[in-house]
Amino acid sequence: MDVFLQTLVAGVLKGGLYALIGIGMTLIMGVMGIINLAHGQLMMVAMYITYILHVAGVDPYISLFVAMPALFLLGCVIQRYLLNPLLKVETILPENQVLMTVGIGMVLTEVVRFIFKSDYKSVSTDYSNATFFLGNISFSVALTISFLIAIAFTVAMFFFLIKTDIGRSIRATAQDKDAAVLMGVNTGRITIVTFGLGSALVAAAGSLLAPVFYVFPDIGGPFTARAFIITILGGLGSTVGAIFGGVTLGLAESFGATYISMDYENIIGMTIFVLVLLFLPGGFKRLTKV
Amino acid sequence: MKKNLVPLIVLAVLAVFPLVVEDNYYRHLMIMFLMWVVIGSAWNLIAGYTGQVSFGDAAFFGSGAYAAGLLSHHLQLSAWWGLAIGGFVAVAVGMPFGWICFRMRGAYFALATLALNEVLRHSAAIAEGFTGGMVGILIMPTFVSKIPYYYVALALAVASMLSIQWIVHSKPGYYFVSIREDQDAAESLGIDTHFYKMLSLAVAAFWTGVAGSLYMNYMGFIDPDVVFSLHDISIMAILVGIVGGVGTVYGPAVGAFIMVTVQEFFRSGFFGLFDFLGRATGSAAVESMAKTITGAHVLGFGILVVVVILVLPNGIVGDWPKIRNVFARNKIAA
């Protein structure tokens, strides 16, 4: 029973962070209708920012306030100068934007590799390996704090989208771009802000993950893969879905690692992905209708 | 007739190439180029003509390569059997995914191929007893000389291009384009879009798998990270298609030539130019620069993706009038 509960806790804690990664992606996907395959790489950049600040003596949770604005700007620049121009040209493939994000991801990874080499860096703080116990179940301190911050961001994001003007504009653009333009929404600017927000959210996840993961240039790829699994699980463009998707993936990975084999951790996500496509094509959005 | 002249001349040049050029390095590059013509043409059929972008060509490529490798590893059959079987293995691997994903709109297919690729890569790494795991599979090459491989590759390149050209100019080809342009309209005309997408995928997977088998035979060594590589195979296949020209018959061939050249260009540090400069000047700064540039070849590749998509979204063949205009204007200005 303890093993079961322990796995459950580990899965949920990991799932909270996954949710944060997924929300950024689902936001971008919902508004722009493109898959951002540079998502994990943006997170990797944020992790390196956290690492640099850590070397300079700044706590990862404080470097959150540097990494998020920095990635917000980076996201805005990417959308403004690299992705938006693609909308104007006539091409055969609508997926050009997706290919562009692949290119951006490669450039980000390689620039970082160029500067920092491929070495594994670690952002080790005194709470990186610290744990506390509730009964017989151990909680990683770093993951628990991250989980709480991730939940806070997720809730904030949800209310931002529902209550504020910009949030409403974002949702309007996501629902129907042309109608949004007619209602006076500057959709061009909204896409830029959205990509920035998505990047900032994944930057938060990066800073929060930095104390518990090794940092290296290729860490982006697997997280891009996870982000899109979460997005598909939750339903494209659904914030609430992303939370469910993130926690589901976290749980599945933990249980898979405990009860099947560590080797299969990476395959489990993909298997879920295929199962969801087969049996629940709209993702959890279909069930919750949010 | 004039329209067919250029390909025929190119073919003639390719046919005599290994007899004229003795250097094995350039023969190797040409074999790689011909292999990429096969893969690029296949990608172009499913993505450029049918509009279903595949992000996981490595899945088909690797299936073909492993089919050939496992045949010789377990059954002691010649790996050349892979050329006959590898393509069908790739089709068998791709079909279920197409069957699931083609019923949905949007990016599902692209994502599923990406996922398929990851699943296969991890599976090949985990199933050590069967595939050799991360150690990979090593076979004895049949020929010492590169010339036989060259002609096999040339035959495959020509066969794949002819077959794909034949398909796109026959009834299914027009159906493919109609699906790409407007799926609803195609459906309303009674086209079974699901079936034709599957058909397109089958042909594309087949040729990619065959190319994988060729790779196994030629290189004599594969491991999961090489043949299921997202960057080196899947992205490269997309680039070959995009750079050359999406939805054009000769685009992938042009793209393959450019991409193989560019890849080698970056990998060898501008064809050894910097090494040469370093040795000639004896300056440590230039030598370290040479090392840096060869180290950053993937970066150069990534920048190329970004620039090509921004400047030439339809590829060199697709945007040829645009390129010609730029040069024409320059001539007038000069």
Side-chain angles (χ1 to χ4, degrees):
Chain A
M1 195 60 195
D2 278 352
V3 176
F4 178 82
L5 281 178
Q6 182 67 65
T7 316
L8 189 77
V9 166
V12 170
L13 290 184
K14 207 156 59 163
L17 277 173
Y18 285 176
L20 196 54
I21 301 173
I23 284 177
M25 182 118 156
T26 204
L27 198 65
I28 293 169
M29 212 181 227
V31 175
M32 259 88 75
I34 62 164
I35 316 153
N36 174 21
L37 288 182
H39 207 62
Q41 280 78 0
L42 288 168
M43 189 186 94
M44 182 266 307
V45 172
M47 287 176 97
Y48 269 94
I49 292 176
T50 311
Y51 169 74
I52 298 169
L53 290 172
H54 171 72
V55 172
V58 181
D59 189 87
Y61 295 125
I62 295 169
S63 54
L64 205 67
F65 296 100
V66 181
M68 285 183 71
L71 264 284
F72 180 82
L73 279 180
L74 180 63
C76 289
V77 168
I78 288 175
Q79 178 68 29
R80 169 73 183 79
Y81 293 101
L82 296 175
L83 292 175
N84 271 349
L86 294 181
L87 288 176
K88 290 172 198 127
V89 286
E90 280 278 311
T91 54
I92 293 175
L93 291 180
E95 273 82 0
N96 257 4
Q97 285 180 321
V98 183
L99 297 175
M100 180 58 112
T101 62
V102 174
I104 293 166
M106 280 170 87
V107 171
L108 289 177
T109 309
E110 295 306 319
V111 167
V112 167
R113 198 199 306 284
F114 203 69
I115 302 171
F116 296 95
K117 308 290 174 248
S118 295
D119 306 352
Y120 283 45
K121 315 266 193 227
S122 65
V123 179
S124 54
T125 50
D126 33 336
Y127 48 79
S128 277
N129 293 317
T131 47
F132 65 88
F133 284 87
L134 281 182
N136 282 329
I137 313 300
S138 75
F139 288 72
S140 149
V141 173
L143 270 179
T144 310
I145 299 174
S146 311
F147 178 79
L148 293 175
I149 298 179
I151 294 297
F153 271 121
T154 312
V155 172
M157 196 62 218
F158 187 72
F159 281 104
F160 170 79
L161 284 177
I162 302 266
K163 296 285 181 197
T164 63
D165 266 1
I166 302 177
R168 287 202 183 98
S169 307
I170 290 176
R171 285 189 298 139
T173 311
Q175 274 175 14
D176 190 331
K177 212 168 200 169
D178 296 327
V181 172
L182 292 176
M183 294 300 129
V185 175
N186 185 345
T187 51
R189 193 189 294 155
I190 289 300
T191 54
I192 296 173
V193 171
T194 310
F195 205 95
L197 276 176
S199 310
L201 283 174
V202 81
S207 292
L208 294 176
L209 273 176
V212 277
F213 267 86
Y214 283 108
V215 184
F216 55 100
D218 287 318
I219 199 173
F223 278 96
T224 303
R226 288 199 179 106
F228 82 61
I229 295 168
I230 295 163
T231 315
I232 298 284
L233 261 171
L236 307 180
S238 158
T239 14
V240 178
I243 301 173
F244 280 109
V247 174
T248 311
L249 182 65
L251 283 174
E253 279 189 4
S254 304
F255 278 105
T258 309
Y259 290 107
I260 306 174
S261 159
M262 282 295 272
D263 292 341
Y264 293 92
E265 198 183 356
N266 292 309
I267 295 185
I268 285 164
M270 300 297 171
T271 315
I272 294 177
F273 170 79
V274 175
L275 290 178
V276 168
L277 283 186
L278 261 179
F279 297 110
L280 197 68
F284 288 130
K285 193 164 76 170
R286 264 278 204 59
L287 302 177
T288 57
K289 305 260 193 275
V290 182
Chain B
M1 191 60 221
K2 193 178 166 245
K3 219 177 127 196
N4 286 329
L5 207 59
V6 177
L8 281 177
I9 293 172
V10 172
L11 188 60
V13 171
L14 286 176
V16 295
F17 176 84
L19 306 175
V20 180
V21 179
E22 304 262 307
D23 193 335
N24 268 341
Y25 173 64
Y26 290 104
R27 284 178 182 168
H28 166 76
L29 285 189
M30 288 308 281
I31 294 171
M32 285 290 111
F33 155 62
L34 291 168
M35 188 186 87
W36 281 108
V37 170
V38 178
I39 301 171
S41 304
W43 181 85
N44 189 38
L45 181 72
I46 179 82
Y49 283 98
T50 322
Q52 311 295 317
V53 175
S54 153
F55 274 88
D57 264 27
F60 309 133
F61 183 82
S63 309
Y66 264 98
L70 292 173
L71 277 178
S72 93
H73 192 67
H74 288 296
L75 302 176
Q76 275 74 44
L77 281 172
S78 159
W80 289 106
W81 282 100
L83 285 189
I85 297 169
F88 292 105
V89 172
V91 173
V93 165
M95 284 290 105
F97 273 77
W99 188 75
I100 297 170
C101 300
F102 282 149
R103 287 180 299 170
M104 283 167 275
R105 299 289 178 91
Y108 288 103
F109 176 68
L111 291 176
T113 47
L114 202 61
L116 174 63
N117 184 24
E118 289 298 296
V119 169
L120 289 179
R121 186 162 63 86
H122 289 300
S123 308
I126 292 172
E128 272 174 39
F130 187 55
T131 61
M134 293 308 282
V135 180
I137 296 176
L138 186 68
I139 60 165
M140 288 309 288
T142 324
F143 306 108
V144 179
S145 157
K146 288 190 189 298
I147 292 180
Y149 293 110
Y150 180 88
Y151 283 109
V152 172
L154 182 62
L156 288 180
V158 171
S160 67
M161 281 190 77
L162 283 179
S163 72
I164 285 168
Q165 192 176 9
W166 176 71
I167 290 170
V168 299
H169 287 137
S170 59
K171 199 170 78 175
Y174 294 114
Y175 287 175
F176 292 166
V177 175
S178 76
I179 293 169
R180 181 188 80 197
E181 292 300 323
D182 191 335
Q183 193 178 335
D184 291 321
E187 236 153 50
S188 71
L189 291 174
I191 296 172
D192 184 350
T193 53
H194 191 248
F195 172 78
Y196 281 100
K197 283 183 196 168
M198 294 285 280
L199 182 67
S200 174
L201 174 65
V203 177
F206 176 82
W207 280 118
T208 316
V210 170
S213 301
L214 172 72
Y215 183 87
M216 174 83 241
N217 274 294
Y218 175 54
M219 291 307 216
F221 172 72
I222 50 170
D223 74 29
D225 281 348
V226 169
V227 292
F228 290 119
S229 159
L230 176 66
H231 280 181
D232 293 345
I233 309 290
S234 297
I235 303 292
M236 178 82 169
I238 295 171
L239 278 176
V240 164
I242 295 268
V243 169
V246 171
T248 59
V249 173
Y250 297 112
V254 176
F257 186 74
I258 292 172
M259 286 318 292
V260 170
T261 314
V262 167
Q263 197 183 34
E264 206 53 32
F265 192 64
F266 281 116
R267 189 170 288 165
S268 60
F270 299 172
F271 284 125
L273 176 70
F274 280 90
D275 271 342
F276 171 76
L277 281 180
R279 255 178 286 121
T281 56
S283 111
V286 178
E287 241 168 61
S288 71
M289 202 161 99
K291 235 183 232 140
T292 321
I293 285 176
T294 20
H297 71 265
V298 187
L299 175 62
F301 222 61
I303 292 173
L304 192 77
V305 185
V306 173
V307 171
V308 164
I309 296 174
L310 269 184
V311 182
L312 298 172
N314 286 323
I316 289 174
V317 175
D319 278 333
W320 184 243
K322 200 164 129 190
I323 301 170
R324 211 173 37 195
N325 277 346
V326 171
F327 280 108
R329 225 177 295 140
N330 282 353
K331 237 176 244 164
I332 295 162

